[in-house]
Structure formats: C-alpha cells, structure tokens
Amino acid sequence: MTKMKKMKKYMCAAMALMMLTGCGDFLEPDSQSEFVPKDASSFNELLLGEAYPRYDKSNLNIFLDLMSDDVTAAPFQVPHEGFTADKYLAAYTWQPDMYEMMDEAGLAYSRSDMYMTHYEFIMGCNAVLDYVDDAPATQKEEINYVKAQAYTLRAFMYFRLVNIFGKPYNVAPESPGVPLKLTSGIEDDEDALKRNTVGEVYAQVLEDLLMAEELYKELPSEKQWKADYRTSLPMVQLLLSRVYLYMENWEKAAAYAKAVMEDSRFKLLDLNTIPTTKFDEEQYITVQYYHDYNSYAESPETIWPYGNPADMAGWGRDYPERDQNQNPIHAYFRASDELINSFKEGDLRKERYIVHRRTQDYPTAGQNDMMPLTYGKMRVSTTTMKPISAQITFGRSLRLSEAYLNYAEAEAMLYQKIGDNVAGTNALDAINTLRTKRFDPNEYTALTADNADDLVEKVREERRRELCFEEHRWYDLRRWGMKEIKHVWYPSSDKLIEYTLNANDLLYTVPLPKNSLDKNAKLEQNELPAKRVGEYKDIVIPDDEIEQQ
C-alpha cells in the first residue's frame, strides 16, 4: 500500500484552488480528508492555504506585547457598556488563570489560544512534507521549493511556541518545551504527545531551518527570494541568526546575520524620507500618516511579512472617540514612559514607530494632549485609526534591521566574553550604520562605548527602540535575565493598582491554555505562581499640573 493510500491528514479548509472539507483538532484529530493533491503546484497552493500565517489568519499573537515593559495603562476612563477590564488585565497583570479571566470577560478561548493556532499551521506543514515527494519525479525543483517553504514555516512556528510556553533556552534547555509533532498521521506511541524539552525543540528548529537552507541553495536565484509573501533563503538565514542568538552561539548568529546584511536585495530604510503627517484631500485636513513598515512596496527592509494586523494592534488600538452614550473613550494602553524616554534627541523612531493621537484626559484630567499608542508600523485608516485588514496589510514582518541588531549583539557578546576587540568594533559599526538611517542628520552623534559591558547594554537599548511592539521585547526580556516589571492599572480617577512581575518570575513562561490541556492528557501545565494581587495607591497630581487645571 502506498503512502498516498495510507494518508490520514487533518486540516481545516484550504483557500483558492484547494477546497478541503472536514476539520479536526490537531494533537487529537477526529476527522480526515479524502482530498489528495496530485502535483507539486497543488501542494504549493495547499501550503499557502494551511501553513502560512497570512494577513487574514488571526490568533497568532493576542497578548504578548501586553506583558512587556514597553506597555502601560492609559489614564482612567469610564468603561463603556459591556466592557470588562479582565479581558486585558489577565495578561497585562501576568495572572496564572489568564485564559479563564479572558473567557469570563467575553474573549472566547478560540481568540486567546495561541497554542492551538500555531499547531494548526504546523499541521499544514506536516501534511505537505509527508506527501509532496509523491508528486511526479519530473517536478523535482518544484517539490524542493515546496519542501523548503514547509520546513521554514514549521521551524518558525515551533520556535515561537517554545519561546512562549517554555523557559528560555539559555536558562533551562532541559525543562519542558512543547510536543514535537512531525507527521500528519495519528501517533501510536503513547509518549508522542508529551512535551519535548526546550533543547529538543530548538534542535528540531535548527534541523528544519538547515534543511530549508540547503534546499533553497539548490534552487534558481529567482526562487530563493522574491516579493511574493513566500518564505525565502534570506528569511531562513535571518531566523537562523535569531535562533543561534537565543542559544548564545555568538559566532553562528553573527555569520548568518551578516549574510542577510550583505544581501543586495535589501537596504535600510531612511526614516528621514518618511513623513509623520499628510494632507487628506477628502477631509481637507492634515492627518496622522501611518507608514507601512511591513510592506514590500513601502520598505526596502522587508524580507517576509506575516500576521493579522488586528492580532497585533487590536488590544492597543483607539476605540471610537465616543461610546454609544457619547462618553469620550480611548485606548486602554499606551507606550510606556520608559520606552518613550529611551529615545534620544533627533531619533526619528519616536514619532514614526510610535504614533501619537490626540485624546481625552491624557496625561491628566481636563487636558488634551497626544497619547503615544502601542503600534505604528502598519497601515491603518486615518479616520478610524484602525488597521485596514481589507487590504493586503500585515501586522508583522521579518526586517533587515533585525539582522543588524542580531549581528551587533553577537559581536558585542564576543567582545565581552572573549575580549575580541575586532568584534567590538564590528558591533559598533553595525549599530551606527543602522542609527544613521534613524536620526535627523543634524542631531546625529555616533554611538561609542566605554567598555564591553557598556557596549552590550547600548546594543540592547538600541534593539528595544528599533523593534518595539514587534514581540521581540518579551523574548529579549526572558533571555536577558527576566528583570522585575511593574504595571499599573487605573480603576478610578484617583486610584491606581500596581502589579509586579518579579525577577525570574514563573509567569515569564506563559501558561498552557486549559482547553489544550483538556484535549491532551499527556500535556502537563507549567509551574504557576499564586494569583497575583495588586497594590492600591492614591494618584498624586503634581502641584504644577494642578495649577494648569
């Protein structure tokens, strides 16, 4: 019996040419499809429909940015009818029962379960990898192209999963990671659905990426990268630099990052060319300009765009200016003062990466001021200030600037760890090359460092500014020592509640969702802390602000 006859795959509806029926829960499948692609082109379309985190695929990231120190609560506002703060507070205050809190607040499990979403994409990769070799042998090049994409996407999803639900690799590689499911069939092994270690998941991620790299290098140059939303060789190399960086393999992290930096198909975007406002001819007014930093057309840095804009900005966007009772309301979160104050004079990213919106009651009662929002790198409507999902607008992208930052960090660490002075110079050169495209030239001063420790710290600060609100900050906080973070919430106009994520807190590793635990008896929950209780404090308005009011 051939593999094709034995095939049992479990995937939800495909798009475009591939219309599949039946949908089962991955890791506990209960249905199968009778549709079997017959050629490499069909597998390629199937991959696009089932394995790519496209702009119209949601629930890839709901709340990771809320947990970092780049976000704080907006000032108090009277909640609009039907709003329950626990929808946001659950993750923002690092609660061990965050999913239950979200569910009770009206955010269904299906909207908060990033775990299952990632495995659904992995399912699509596995189905293609299991059977694409059965396509006609005459399509060898197209088969390899499909496999290169599938390996890349599977590695990307597992890397995300293990860094959300497992401990940092550099802290505890032998600790529980996530289950490695590498085929589309039902597993007979009783241990198959248990959690693999963090180290084992990383090893699989590297194996997949290195296989993808090998396959891409055998393809013609036109299939190694083009602006078609598919994975590519430079994407693989950038991911390899990130994986090796997290593993603290500084030499390989630097080597792969340098390969991307030297790729002539990409160049750094000069922010001096990007306006902050534009004239709206229909409204005949000047409005905030939102540049799409994830777009091939608008950014020469874009290597691969992915993700739904609403996933990335929905929790932090502006609400309508007035609720149904005509009470003014605004976003519940804003960029933190710590992040805002980290930008130096002349740094154009402060206005271009973090858009500001005039809103009610910010920063103190009775005033109108500009509130820094928690997103600003994607296309949004200038009237509703919401992401435009009707267009091909992505919420995230892999960008050239990350390669510069990965390279700089790896070289700075080599300088710190082994005293390699050349590496220290390389790190400074990379950071300053990036910074020249981010500053007003009239206010730019090249970065210098007093010693290796100072250089490492400055590289990390630069990484925070450049990659803000792109998920990197949460992952970086984890691998850089898991520092203490404090978040405040405003239950009223005269009170605040302060919540603390302790240094090395257990909630630096996100809990596994309860519904996934219920579906897989082999899956064990992470160690969790007790329910987090905040400390109430009075809001004290400085005398000079009282006088202004």
Side-chain angles (χ1 to χ4, degrees):
M1 184 178 291
T2 65
K3 289 174 69 177
M4 199 71 79
K5 290 181 179 179
K6 294 179 181 177
M7 182 176 187
K8 289 183 179 181
K9 58 186 182 292
Y10 314 96
M11 50 185 77
C12 300
M15 62 179 296
L17 301 176
M18 320 311 298
M19 298 302 294
L20 305 184
T21 61
C23 178
D25 290 327
F26 189 52
L27 297 185
E28 190 164 317
D30 56 14
S31 67
Q32 50 185 303
S33 168
E34 297 179 355
F35 179 83
V36 179
K38 294 294 191 289
D39 55 53
S41 177
S42 296
F43 277 108
N44 200 21
E45 291 303 318
L46 178 61
L47 195 67
L48 180 63
E50 296 301 317
Y52 270 88
R54 306 187 312 264
Y55 71 98
D56 57 342
K57 293 270 192 174
S58 59
N59 305 343
L60 191 68
N61 168 32
I62 307 301
F63 54 74
L64 282 184
D65 279 327
L66 277 183
M67 301 172 73
S68 83
D69 57 353
D70 282 349
V71 173
T72 191
F76 172 75
Q77 57 188 302
V78 177
H80 56 283
E81 186 175 345
F83 171 77
T84 303
D86 283 357
K87 181 187 298 187
Y88 298 131
L89 278 174
Y92 177 68
T93 60
W94 314 287
Q95 297 296 344
D97 58 341
M98 59 175 63
Y99 303 105
E100 289 76 12
M101 288 179 63
M102 291 178 194
D103 184 53
E104 291 175 4
L107 186 67
Y109 271 122
S110 62
R111 289 283 297 128
S112 62
D113 190 349
M114 294 186 290
Y115 181 86
M116 190 58 67
T117 299
H118 283 75
Y119 273 110
E120 288 171 352
F121 288 121
I122 290 170
M123 176 181 61
C125 296
N126 287 340
V128 168
L129 288 170
D130 280 352
Y131 305 106
V132 69
D133 281 328
D134 289 327
T138 54
Q139 300 177 343
K140 186 63 176 177
E141 181 181 301
E142 189 66 21
I143 289 172
N144 285 346
Y145 178 52
V146 171
K147 290 169 69 175
Q149 294 175 72
Y151 280 123
T152 303
L153 291 166
R154 187 169 73 178
F156 181 65
M157 292 301 162
Y158 270 125
F159 186 62
R160 289 175 55 89
L161 275 171
V162 77
N163 279 287
I164 297 171
F165 301 106
K167 293 183 182 297
Y169 179 91
N170 62 339
V171 172
E174 298 304 316
S175 63
V178 294
L180 282 172
K181 182 72 165 64
L182 304 176
T183 67
S184 61
I186 297 175
E187 300 287 354
D188 297 325
D189 186 351
E190 290 185 0
D191 294 331
L193 303 184
K194 287 184 177 181
R195 298 176 69 173
N196 291 82
T197 68
V198 169
E200 288 170 341
V201 179
Y202 265 75
Q204 184 62 50
V205 168
L206 284 178
E207 183 178 331
D208 281 357
L209 289 176
L210 292 171
M211 177 61 73
E213 180 187 33
E214 181 180 332
L215 289 167
Y216 269 119
K217 286 184 174 180
E218 294 175 356
L219 295 171
S221 59
E222 63 269 17
K223 284 191 174 180
Q224 292 180 358
W225 183 85
K226 56 183 175 180
D228 63 353
Y229 308 102
R230 298 278 185 167
T231 66
S232 64
L233 177 59
M235 173 189 170
V236 169
Q237 292 170 331
L238 182 56
L239 285 177
L240 280 166
S241 77
R242 190 191 298 184
V243 175
Y244 281 125
L245 192 74
Y246 285 23
M247 297 176 72
E248 299 186 347
N249 187 328
W250 314 122
E251 293 87 352
K252 288 187 176 181
Y256 275 106
K258 189 174 184 181
V260 179
M261 291 161 60
E262 293 177 345
D263 193 320
S264 61
R265 290 169 290 198
F266 312 103
K267 65 178 182 179
L268 292 172
L269 175 66
D270 188 348
L271 294 191
N272 287 280
T273 66
I274 307 301
T276 57
T277 60
K278 72 174 185 178
F279 186 74
D280 187 318
E281 294 184 357
E282 292 185 3
Q283 302 181 73
Y284 210 70
I285 57 173
T286 298
V287 297
Q288 177 88 50
Y289 175 67
Y290 285 69
H291 190 78
D292 189 353
Y293 295 94
N294 302 314
S295 164
Y296 290 123
E298 296 189 41
S299 176
E301 295 185 22
T302 301
I303 296 172
W304 183 64
Y306 70 96
N308 186 308
D311 274 3
M312 314 310 178
W315 48 264
R317 74 187 182 205
D318 278 312
Y319 282 85
E321 292 187 358
R322 293 182 180 276
D323 66 13
Q324 59 186 359
N325 297 319
Q326 294 303 300
N327 296 314
I329 59 176
H330 58 71
Y332 281 88
F333 298 98
R334 64 178 182 88
S336 68
D337 291 335
E338 183 181 332
L339 173 63
I340 295 295
N341 294 335
S342 73
F343 292 94
K344 309 302 180 184
E345 194 69 29
D347 193 333
L348 303 175
R349 292 172 294 192
K350 183 176 181 179
E351 299 297 329
R352 287 158 178 79
Y353 285 3
I354 304 175
V355 296
H356 291 63
R357 176 90 188 276
R358 189 169 300 284
T359 184
Q360 293 289 330
D361 299 335
Y362 174 79
T364 54
Q367 293 182 335
N368 274 336
D369 209 334
M370 301 291 280
M371 186 167 77
L373 304 183
T374 53
Y375 63 93
K377 295 178 179 176
M378 66 187 76
R379 173 75 70 220
V380 299
S381 167
T382 56
T383 54
T384 66
M385 313 302 287
K386 296 180 181 179
I388 303 176
S389 297
Q391 302 176 12
I392 300 182
T393 302
F394 289 85
R396 291 282 186 271
S397 64
L398 271 66
R399 301 189 291 127
L400 176 62
S401 59
E402 185 195 341
Y404 278 83
L405 292 161
N406 291 354
Y407 179 79
E409 182 178 343
E411 292 288 280
M413 293 305 299
L414 287 172
Y415 179 35
Q416 184 189 62
K417 296 299 183 183
I418 64 175
D420 187 339
N421 292 324
V422 173
T425 300
N426 290 342
L428 274 176
D429 288 346
I431 284 295
N432 282 319
T433 298
L434 174 64
R435 283 164 55 86
T436 58
K437 303 296 184 181
R438 303 301 189 244
F439 275 75
D440 180 337
N442 296 318
E443 299 185 66
Y444 174 73
T445 301
L447 197 68
T448 60
D450 296 332
N451 51 53
D453 291 344
D454 184 40
L455 177 58
V456 169
E457 184 60 29
K458 286 179 176 176
V459 167
R460 290 179 176 181
E461 291 171 355
E462 201 64 40
R463 186 178 180 89
R464 179 184 192 179
R465 289 187 283 265
E466 176 63 27
L467 301 177
C468 61
F469 304 122
E470 296 185 60
E471 294 180 359
H472 290 276
R473 183 61 179 173
W474 179 247
Y475 301 139
D476 288 343
L477 287 168
R478 283 163 37 91
R479 65 189 180 90
W480 289 342
M482 296 182 280
K483 71 172 189 176
E484 179 185 275
I485 303 175
K486 291 186 181 295
H487 277 171
V488 296
W489 182 258
Y490 300 96
S492 64
S493 59
D494 60 349
K495 296 284 186 182
L496 64 79
I497 312 174
E498 184 176 81
Y499 295 87
T500 302
L501 181 71
N502 299 314
N504 299 302
D505 199 289
L506 291 172
L507 254 296
Y508 261 110
T509 303
V510 174
L512 291 162
K514 183 179 181 298
N515 56 330
S516 292
L517 291 165
D518 291 343
K519 292 177 181 179
N520 178 7
K522 301 289 185 180
L523 199 61
E524 296 182 0
Q525 180 61 280
N526 291 322
E527 184 181 359
L528 299 176
K531 181 75 174 177
R532 208 173 301 273
V533 178
E535 179 182 358
Y536 277 80
K537 296 183 178 181
D538 293 329
I539 294 177
V540 179
I541 301 177
D543 291 341
D544 59 340
E545 293 186 6
I546 293 176
E547 292 176 1
Q548 291 178 23
Q549 294 180 49

